[in-house]
Amino acid sequence: MSQPADRGAPPAPSPDTAHNWRGVATEDTEELSVGAGVFLRDRSRRLLGELLSPHRRALWGLLSVITGQNIAWLAGPFLIGVGIDVAVPALIDGDAGPLAWVTGAMLAAAAVDTVLRFVFLSWSGRIGQAVLLRLRRRVFTHVQRLPLSFHERYTSGKTISRLTSDVEAIEELFDEGLDNLVTAVFSVLTIGVVLVVLDPPLGVVALLGFPALFWVARWFQRNSTAAYRRTRQTIAALIVQFTETFGGIRAVQAFRREPRNDELYAVLNEDNRQAHDRAFWLIAVFIPAVTLIGNLVTVAVLGYGALRVMDGALAVGTLVSFLLYLRRFFDPLQDVAMFYNSYQSATAALEKLSGVLEEVPTVPEPTDPVPLPEARGELVFDGMRFGYTDRVVLPLLDLHVPAGQTVALVGATGAGKSTLARLAARFYDPTTGAVRLDGVPLTLLSDADLRRAVVMVTQESFLFSGTVADNIAFGRPGAGRAEIEAAARAIGAHEFIAALPAGYDTDVSKRGGRLSAGQRQLVSFARAFLADPAVLILDEATSSLDVPSERLVQHALQTLLADRTALIIAHRLSTVEIADRALVMADGLIVEDGSPAELVAGTGRFADLHRAWADSLV
Amino acid sequence: MDTTPHPAPPDDRGRLAALLRLWPFTRPYRGLVALTFTAALLATLTQLAVPLLTAAVVDGPIAAGDRSGLLPLLALALLFGVAEAALFFLRRWAMNRSSLRIERDLRDALYQRLQRLPVAFHDRWGSGQLLSRATTDISTVRRFVGFAAVFLAVNLITCVVVLVLLLVTYWPLGLAVLVTTVPLTFLGLRWERRYNIQSRQVQDQQGELTTDVEEAVQGIRVVKALGRSGLVFDRYDAKATVLRRMQLERVRTLALLWCIFELHPQVTLAVILVGGAVAVNTGALTVGGLVGFVALFTVLLWPILSLGFLFAFAQETASACDRIGELLDEPVTVTDRPGVRSAAIGTPARLRLEGVGFAYPGSADPVLSGIDLDVAPGETVALVGATGSGKTTLTALVGRLYDVTAGRVTLDGVDVRDLPLAQLRSVVSTAFEDATLFSMSVRENVTLGRTDATDAEVDEALRVAQAEFVHDLPWGLATRIGEQGLSLSGGQRQRLALARAVLGRPSVLILDDPLSALDVHTEALVEQALRKVLAETTALVVAHRPSTVLLADRVALLSGGRITAIGRHSDLLAEVPEYRDLLAQDSELADAGFAEVAS
Ligand SMILES: Nc1ncnc2c1ncn2[C@@H]1O[C@H](COP(=O)(O)OP(=O)(O)OP(=O)(O)O)[C@@H](O)[C@H]1O
Ligand SMILES: Nc1ncnc2c1ncn2[C@@H]1O[C@H](COP(=O)(O)OP(=O)(O)OP(=O)(O)O)[C@@H](O)[C@H]1O
Ligand SMILES: [Mg+2]
Ligand SMILES: [Mg+2]
């Protein structure tokens, strides 16, 4: 299936009409290399196989149900034929018996058909939904396990499109496709047999259509693979633009971005239309071609059959049944065609999904973790080097933080403070060297142990939709209301929370939009406070607070941090006061290290910073 | 955690109305839709030709043993067969053209509408719900328009035509067939109603699930920092499981519907056989007639069978239309008043708030009330207040992200609501407290709404914000910054947002805590550069720190939703205890070597 046509998949969407508004990034090249058609197909087929494998037995069961149903369904035309050939003459001869029999059989067949059909539909629905749930779970869990570097590269919009529109494409396959396929393939096979059995010469004429059918199907398959692959890309591009626009709607409106966004979205939307248009055009040719073949065969059968009837080699009733069967033979073929269509679309989606599933969690949990039930909190950075891309951010870092020490980290913006913090929380793994907690490299700790021991309050205070209490409890699921309140009280958030319309049960809306920036920070602080870790990392956790609130938080910290290791990043040196030790970072290196008082007294950067800060005060 | 309102599905009359909402969107493509419909109808009618010709062959040439009579009939059958395929192609071609374009237009329209809905609306709606409407629901509509709508009409027509033909062929038997459709309709309608409710539930739940995915992905840092993937997964899983249950209920109803429509033609066929046999017996019908009758009826098999599914699809589309309609119907409350004309707004402009009050929608307590503030052209006023006192809210009123609920805001004496929004938002420029960047090139982020900005202007803005670090990025200004700017450091993000705000020298500049993420040195540099900009523009600066306050000529203290004091920094510091408490950074924690702070 590795036609050159597949390789030459259309280039990634390039909606830049006038400007390259999206900008350049390293991952673009990866996106373009989606050309290894065979590999992708195999990978997605493997995934489909894996998803279906727990249902292997159920699928056999389904097959037997559908067999029964088809037999019942096929009995219809046969019985009508019998009725016309046997029961009607018998009735004319005064014998109503055969007619009664035939009618009874028809009704019974109809009843069996209906019941089995119901069983089939609800059963296959159940299997389909089970597969989807499993797929959803699997992709979701995997995405959660993937490192931040993946998420930064992939963007949330694309991940969302994988978990929504791609999963829905597969759902469609199960919803309509599977049913169509099984029924159709089965009817085609059985009717094929019946046709040949009913009257072999006519059957052979009917089967002459096959090579043509095969040829058409192959043409469709060759061309549609690339076409459907492209539709998955264009819809994802739409979703990315959509989520970003409405995630930043304030800026969009305040800066009158709407007209430009309209333009960009229209281009992406038109791209998406064209991609679908191409795919649908292929079906528009494919299905009529199947019909045409069917009709030609029917005419041939009618002509040949009529001649044979005239020669007395065939009964009229048989010819009629034969034609009826022929119709039932070609109608399902259209279903097969439709199935093929949803199948191609689902495979394209599966390709994308299997791509995500194939992403290696480069910051993996160890298979054989070193247990660390009770961390003391000694943190060591040992010959560590790190860069997000090829550019090195932290060239070489050696740092020993004894358990229980509170370390303040200061330095110019972009110096690498947050980066250091992220490495301590194992958002990333260092390129070389190691980070050790109580002598154990972070890479050897289980996720549960690590997260219990090390908690970080990030620079961005993201809240989840849900109540204030839910959000604080995020720090320790299962915490009671009293504990939640205690945490809020400790950092001085209780007053404002209590003043909210529903107190702790107030819904914070999407991303905590119901709260002010400072309030959001307090809530994320309370969240970390409740988590109660051995090592607490605060990345500018109080930057949006007013001075009195900040002071309250510091009070809380003093008690909280008494027996804990802490890494506090702050630009306001007031926050640094409570530290035992201060580090100054510049260009990824630690350039000063000492107690705050020592450093202030010296002549280095810290003293400089401190002077500037003191001058900035009233 | 159901963040968005879900109205109950409306009654049956509402269903049709919901579908009719689509009508305007079909306007440019009505010719194509008509073509689709005609082609489909003709194709279906040509299908009738085969059974009729079969009957003709049986009764004519075969009965008469007339070989030469066979040929014309076969030629006719061939003609119809080819025509059918050609019509199929035509139908699909026209259908793709129209339905994909209708889908595109609808999606564009929805996006454009959503962009213009007020911020208050977006506060309320989970973005997952919006997304699932813009993708899944609109695709449902496309499939309906492109497939189900046409077939619903065609199949109904086919049924009627065939029934008439059946009645003509032999009316007593035709009548019998007609009678059998009565229970079918009755049962069908019952299940349809149930299906309708279920499909709406499924769609809403899909939206909820999308919201969850979005949060889990965008909040991945917090999830990882606290090691809560388990919790997040459980939440998602619970919703996904509910979705599965709802889907299964829906599938069950669909299966029932399907079965009724599958059972019906078969039972009818038995009825036809009995009736037909009796008729042949009495001589009222020939055998050929019966064969033709049966063949004709088999044409109805698929139309009847599909009706159940098509009706269900129509229901699903109606609820999708409802869901889309809910968004299209949302009033754009923050918009141009009729007949607004742009007014001359000076640079710098005079900004006045007169008796301004504001309460968030759905909340009874106003956040702000009786705010009077007069900012002279070129003046800079700092807004100081405790966390959650309403500073950000106040700044949002100037650019009409929200409209005041009392009083008015004026620029050079003109109420901001009497200015065209486009003009207002071009003279007012804001740096938000969170940077709000997009995964686009640096340049696009900085110019955002002003794509016509020159390179010189961009460089100037970057210089003021001390954001020249962007030149060191791998592709300079063309580098794409990660989503929400997360591939930059906190201070880098904030400076880009600042550059964006000062770009093009706005008449009114609003800076919401613009220096919170900067170190002292950078802060000093930015302040220095910013002073020149502030001298030429009217500015409101939200400040938590004394250093930021010093940028301002006057300071307003916001407390309890009112401005309780206004004046020069040093005066307020001396006279207003509350102000002193808020800003004086003296710390009882300081040891001797630390901070010898003025008090
Ligand atoms: N996810 C990322 N991908 C690529 N580069 C990054 C990423 N995050 C940060 N950087 C770059 O690494 C450098 C160090 O960033 P870091 O966030 O550690 O700075 P910082 O010291 O925390 O600064 P600030 O005080 O402004 O928060 C910066 O030049 C930044 O642009
Ligand atoms: N969308 C909203 N709906 C209802 N109430 C809100 C909404 N946004 C903010 N609030 C409430 O309005 C009050 C003022 O919020 P605002 O964001 O204006 O505070 P702020 O002064 O800017 O605080 P900060 O210094 O923390 O940024 C807060 O108590 C907040 O809880
Ligand atoms: Mg940082
Ligand atoms: Mg604020």
Side-chain angles (χ1 to χ4, degrees):
Chain A
M1 237 183 308
S2 61
Q3 301 82 33
D6 283 3
R7 291 264 161 78
S14 58
D16 42 344
T17 34
H19 311 273
N20 193 356
W21 62 280
R22 258 220 193 289
V24 193
T26 31
E27 62 265 25
D28 290 347
T29 41
E30 290 170 38
E31 189 65 23
L32 277 175
S33 72
V34 182
V38 194
F39 170 66
L40 286 178
R41 289 263 122 167
D42 284 355
R43 193 174 70 186
S44 58
R45 264 199 215 126
R46 202 162 52 234
L47 176 60
L48 189 61
E50 274 169 36
L51 289 172
L52 288 176
S53 67
H55 304 285
R56 204 167 284 148
R57 281 168 118 189
L59 287 174
W60 283 115
L62 264 189
L63 200 63
S64 43
V65 169
I66 203 79
T67 311
Q69 190 243 319
N70 268 288
I71 291 172
W73 165 243
L74 290 172
F78 174 73
L79 290 171
I80 275 277
V82 171
I84 291 174
D85 284 346
V86 178
V88 173
L91 189 65
I92 294 172
D93 294 344
D95 180 9
L99 184 64
W101 273 111
V102 170
T103 313
M106 278 178 79
L107 288 176
V112 170
D113 171 37
T114 306
V115 169
L116 289 182
R117 178 98 200 138
F118 180 78
V119 171
F120 172 76
L121 284 177
S122 32
W123 199 4
S124 69
R126 215 158 44 229
I127 294 176
Q129 288 301 324
V131 168
L132 285 176
L133 186 62
R134 235 161 71 93
L135 182 65
R136 284 207 166 96
R137 284 177 174 160
R138 198 162 145 192
V139 177
F140 190 92
T141 327
H142 192 76
V143 163
Q144 292 276 312
R145 273 176 40 216
L146 286 173
L148 282 180
S149 53
F150 165 84
H151 288 278
E152 277 158 9
R153 169 166 62 81
Y154 209 70
T155 72
S156 66
K158 262 163 91 184
T159 315
I160 294 168
S161 85
R162 294 291 95 90
L163 270 161
T164 57
S165 95
D166 286 346
V167 171
E168 278 158 24
I170 296 166
E171 179 155 27
E172 223 167 278
L173 176 73
F174 283 118
D175 240 26
E176 298 156 22
L178 212 58
D179 170 23
N180 278 350
L181 177 75
V182 178
T183 316
V185 164
F186 193 80
S187 357
V188 167
L189 286 181
T190 44
I191 296 180
V193 171
V194 169
L195 287 179
V196 175
V197 169
L198 215 54
D199 184 58
L202 275 187
V204 169
V205 172
L207 292 183
L208 277 181
F210 258 85
L213 280 177
F214 183 73
W215 182 78
V216 171
R218 190 145 172 78
W219 169 84
F220 174 71
Q221 190 232 324
R222 279 190 181 179
N223 290 286
S224 60
T225 306
Y228 278 102
R229 200 171 281 158
R230 179 144 166 68
T231 62
R232 300 324 311 167
Q233 282 171 6
T234 54
I235 190 82
L238 267 186
I239 291 179
V240 169
Q241 174 72 11
F242 193 95
T243 37
E244 277 217 77
T245 304
F246 299 109
I249 188 69
R250 274 172 189 257
V252 166
Q253 294 196 347
F255 289 95
R256 292 164 298 121
R257 175 79 179 172
E258 302 98 322
R260 174 105 170 112
N261 271 344
D262 286 349
E263 265 171 50
L264 298 174
Y265 191 76
V267 172
L268 295 173
N269 202 2
E270 172 63 16
D271 263 1
N272 185 48
R273 185 194 70 75
Q274 281 174 9
H276 278 89
D277 198 42
R278 165 80 185 143
F280 290 175
W281 194 84
L282 295 171
I283 316 174
V285 174
F286 180 41
I287 293 194
V290 172
T291 309
L292 183 64
I293 295 170
N295 286 347
L296 294 180
V297 168
T298 307
V299 172
V301 165
L302 184 60
Y304 184 55
L307 289 179
R308 281 171 50 81
V309 171
M310 284 182 232
D311 293 343
L314 194 70
V316 177
T318 316
L319 179 60
V320 171
S321 323
F322 200 96
L323 286 169
L324 282 182
Y325 277 126
L326 208 55
R327 180 119 220 135
R328 289 195 179 183
F329 180 74
F330 278 103
D331 279 351
L333 271 186
Q334 292 197 14
D335 289 345
V336 178
M338 285 315 289
F339 163 80
Y340 211 38
N341 168 39
S342 17
Y343 175 74
Q344 289 288 55
S345 158
T347 323
L350 272 171
E351 273 175 22
K352 294 282 171 197
L353 284 167
S354 59
V356 172
L357 287 174
E358 206 104 314
E359 283 283 340
V360 192
T362 47
V363 184
E365 251 195 287
T367 40
D368 192 12
V370 176
L372 189 70
E374 198 89 22
R376 285 178 295 115
E378 183 203 32
L379 207 53
V380 175
F381 298 83
D382 186 6
M384 188 185 75
R385 181 187 174 87
F386 178 76
Y388 294 94
T389 52
D390 297 339
R391 229 186 90 220
V392 176
V393 175
L394 303 178
L396 180 66
L397 199 91
D398 282 297
L399 178 66
H400 178 218
V401 182
Q405 194 174 57
T406 301
V407 178
L409 197 56
V410 300
T413 90
K417 305 179 295 293
S418 301
T419 308
L420 176 67
R422 287 176 201 144
L423 286 157
R426 204 179 172 218
F427 279 14
Y428 305 84
D429 277 337
T431 329
T432 54
V435 185
R436 279 195 276 274
L437 178 65
D438 292 352
V440 185
L442 297 189
T443 44
L444 292 184
L445 287 175
S446 74
D447 216 39
D449 280 347
L450 174 63
R451 299 302 168 198
R452 188 161 0 90
V454 183
V455 162
M456 169 164 170
V457 181
T458 56
Q459 219 161 348
E460 315 77 33
S461 36
F462 188 98
L463 299 191
F464 295 86
S465 56
T467 65
V468 176
D470 286 342
N471 270 290
I472 298 178
F474 203 78
R476 196 198 311 153
R481 182 54 60 92
E483 290 167 285
I484 292 173
E485 265 193 52
R489 250 180 235 283
I491 56 142
H494 178 75
E495 281 68 32
F496 100 78
I497 298 174
L500 291 172
Y504 284 83
D505 295 319
T506 310
D507 197 317
V508 301
S509 332
K510 110 177 128 188
R511 292 202 210 163
R514 166 71 182 75
L515 304 180
S516 84
Q519 292 169 340
R520 278 199 294 276
Q521 250 182 6
L522 284 174
V523 172
S524 30
F525 214 105
R527 183 162 70 183
F529 196 94
L530 189 63
D532 194 24
V535 179
L536 185 62
I537 303 170
L538 304 174
D539 191 356
E540 294 185 40
T542 55
S543 61
S544 297
L545 296 183
D546 59 43
V547 177
S549 310
E550 191 174 24
R551 213 173 288 146
L552 265 175
V553 169
Q554 272 177 48
H555 267 302
L557 281 178
Q558 272 203 316
T559 29
L560 175 76
L561 299 182
D563 54 349
R564 247 167 263 265
T565 312
L567 207 56
I568 303 178
I569 299 173
H571 287 307
R572 316 265 180 57
L573 296 198
S574 51
T575 324
V576 173
E577 296 168 4
I578 57 169
D580 306 319
R581 178 180 174 192
L583 302 173
V584 182
M585 269 188 104
D587 299 324
L589 295 170
I590 292 175
V591 290
E592 275 175 50
D593 184 351
S595 79
E598 254 168 56
L599 292 181
V600 170
T603 54
R605 294 187 197 223
F606 191 84
D608 230 29
L609 277 175
H610 181 259
R611 209 170 313 114
W613 172 72
D615 287 348
S616 79
L617 300 180
V618 245
Chain B
M1 248 161 299
D2 204 53
T3 44
T4 12
H6 303 154
D11 58 283
D12 275 348
R13 229 168 326 124
R15 310 267 80 201
L16 194 62
L19 285 176
L20 282 179
R21 291 199 64 107
L22 290 174
W23 190 237
F25 286 94
T26 61
R27 183 180 297 281
Y29 314 110
R30 289 204 186 139
L32 280 171
V33 172
L35 182 62
T36 311
F37 178 74
T38 318
L41 194 61
L42 287 178
T44 312
L45 291 179
T46 55
Q47 284 174 6
L48 294 181
V50 177
L52 290 176
L53 285 169
T54 311
V57 169
V58 171
D59 279 349
I62 291 184
D66 170 18
R67 280 171 195 251
S68 60
L70 191 59
L71 214 56
L73 287 176
L74 283 182
L76 212 55
L78 187 66
L79 185 71
F80 277 117
V82 174
E84 189 190 357
L87 286 168
F88 263 20
F89 173 76
L90 190 64
R91 186 198 87 210
R92 286 194 170 268
W93 174 83
M95 184 162 96
N96 290 349
R97 262 187 98 76
S98 59
S99 69
L100 284 171
R101 283 179 165 78
I102 290 171
E103 178 186 28
R104 178 197 62 191
D105 293 353
L106 196 54
R107 199 168 270 150
D108 270 346
L110 185 64
Y111 180 79
Q112 288 171 12
R113 180 80 181 186
L114 285 176
Q115 277 206 95
R116 280 150 187 92
L117 283 175
V119 171
F121 165 87
H122 290 281
D123 287 345
R124 194 152 49 82
W125 279 74
S127 42
Q129 283 289 0
L130 302 183
L131 182 63
S132 82
R133 284 161 214 237
T135 54
T136 317
D137 288 343
I138 289 185
S139 299
T140 305
V141 168
R142 183 246 301 154
R143 278 183 289 153
F144 179 73
V145 172
F147 172 73
V150 171
F151 276 100
L152 202 57
V154 168
N155 289 355
L156 278 174
I157 292 176
T158 314
C159 286
V160 171
V161 169
V162 172
L163 275 174
V164 168
L165 281 177
L166 288 177
L167 281 168
V168 170
T169 311
Y170 182 60
W171 71 265
L173 214 45
L175 201 62
V177 172
L178 197 59
V179 169
T180 58
T181 58
V182 174
L184 180 74
T185 318
F186 177 74
L187 272 175
L189 281 181
R190 238 188 88 168
W191 295 119
E192 295 290 348
R193 195 156 309 135
R194 205 164 101 179
Y195 187 75
N196 154 30
I197 295 168
Q198 286 170 341
S199 59
R200 171 74 203 226
Q201 277 177 345
V202 165
Q203 288 162 351
D204 285 342
Q205 185 67 14
Q206 267 165 347
E208 290 296 307
L209 208 60
T210 309
T211 306
D212 251 35
V213 171
E214 182 167 350
E215 284 202 335
V217 179
Q218 294 181 343
I220 188 80
R221 282 172 187 75
V222 174
V223 176
K224 283 197 187 281
L226 291 159
R228 291 285 167 263
S229 4
L231 183 69
V232 172
F233 174 76
D234 288 346
R235 263 191 216 180
Y236 174 78
D237 193 43
K239 285 189 184 166
T241 314
V242 170
L243 177 64
R244 181 185 61 166
R245 203 201 64 227
M246 289 176 168
Q247 285 281 28
L248 284 180
E249 281 165 10
R250 190 186 66 95
V251 166
R252 225 180 112 82
T253 311
L254 192 61
L256 278 171
L257 256 173
W258 190 274
C259 287
I260 296 168
F261 283 86
E262 174 135 353
L263 182 63
H264 170 262
Q266 303 191 59
V267 172
T268 312
L269 212 53
V271 171
I272 291 174
L273 180 66
V274 174
V278 171
V280 171
N281 193 20
T282 58
L285 196 66
T286 62
V287 173
L290 179 57
V291 169
F293 199 97
V294 168
L296 206 53
F297 182 76
T298 52
V299 172
L300 273 188
L301 284 181
W302 153 247
I304 293 180
L305 195 71
S306 65
L307 275 183
F309 164 73
L310 290 175
F311 275 126
F313 204 151
Q315 297 284 9
E316 213 166 311
T317 309
S319 28
C321 286
D322 275 339
R323 281 164 50 87
I324 298 163
E326 274 162 32
L327 300 185
L328 292 177
D329 286 346
E330 267 296 321
V332 180
T333 48
V334 178
T335 183
D336 288 343
R337 279 183 180 169
V340 283
R341 260 188 285 130
S342 51
I345 302 293
T347 309
R350 177 181 212 93
L351 168 67
R352 275 180 71 109
L353 285 79
E354 300 167 16
V356 164
F358 180 77
Y360 279 99
S363 120
D365 306 328
V367 175
L368 301 171
S369 51
I371 302 267
D372 287 303
L373 182 65
D374 188 354
V375 189
E379 194 186 19
T380 300
V381 169
L383 268 181
V384 170
T387 292
S389 55
K391 305 179 292 297
T392 302
T393 309
L394 191 151
T395 60
L397 301 176
V398 180
R400 288 188 74 196
L401 289 176
Y402 299 93
D403 269 339
V404 293
T405 46
R408 61 188 206 134
V409 180
T410 64
L411 286 184
D412 281 349
V414 186
D415 191 321
V416 288
R417 285 167 297 183
D418 289 332
L419 283 172
L421 257 191
Q423 189 196 3
L424 173 67
R425 288 178 179 167
S426 68
V427 295
V428 178
S429 191
T430 311
F432 297 103
E433 47 198 346
D434 46 356
T436 328
L437 300 174
F438 302 90
S439 67
M440 319 183 282
S441 68
V442 171
R443 190 177 201 285
E444 193 79 17
N445 264 297
V446 172
T447 55
L448 206 58
R450 300 198 52 219
T451 30
D452 54 345
T454 63
D455 286 346
E457 283 176 313
V458 172
D459 283 344
E460 163 72 9
L462 289 173
R463 202 187 49 71
V464 169
Q466 296 295 308
E468 279 136 330
F469 68 89
V470 294
H471 296 297
D472 301 332
L473 293 174
W475 291 276
L477 282 174
T479 311
R480 183 189 320 157
I481 56 174
E483 195 178 5
Q484 293 172 48
L486 286 177
S487 62
L488 299 174
S489 86
Q492 290 170 337
R493 284 201 294 274
Q494 196 170 46
R495 281 176 287 159
L496 268 195
L498 185 60
R500 179 166 75 193
V502 300
L503 177 72
R505 307 265 156 146
S507 306
V508 176
L509 182 61
I510 294 171
L511 306 176
D512 196 348
D513 207 5
L515 310 170
S516 64
L518 302 185
D519 62 278
V520 194
H521 287 315
T522 316
E523 186 179 353
L525 289 174
V526 174
E527 275 168 9
Q528 210 176 17
L530 206 52
R531 279 224 163 75
K532 287 206 200 81
V533 175
L534 290 178
E536 294 165 18
T537 177
T538 309
L540 266 183
V541 181
V542 174
H544 278 311
R545 309 295 140 175
S547 52
T548 323
V549 169
L550 289 178
L551 285 171
D553 304 310
R554 283 190 301 156
V555 188
L557 175 63
L558 199 58
S559 171
R562 294 171 178 279
I563 291 183
T564 52
I566 184 159
R568 285 156 41 107
H569 175 59
S570 49
D571 296 346
L572 292 187
L573 211 54
E575 292 157 16
V576 185
E578 191 187 350
Y579 184 76
R580 197 162 46 233
D581 282 348
L582 266 178
L583 277 193
Q585 200 123 15
D586 57 348
S587 165
E588 64 253 53
L589 300 168
D591 53 60
F594 236 82
E596 60 286 57
V597 176
S599 47

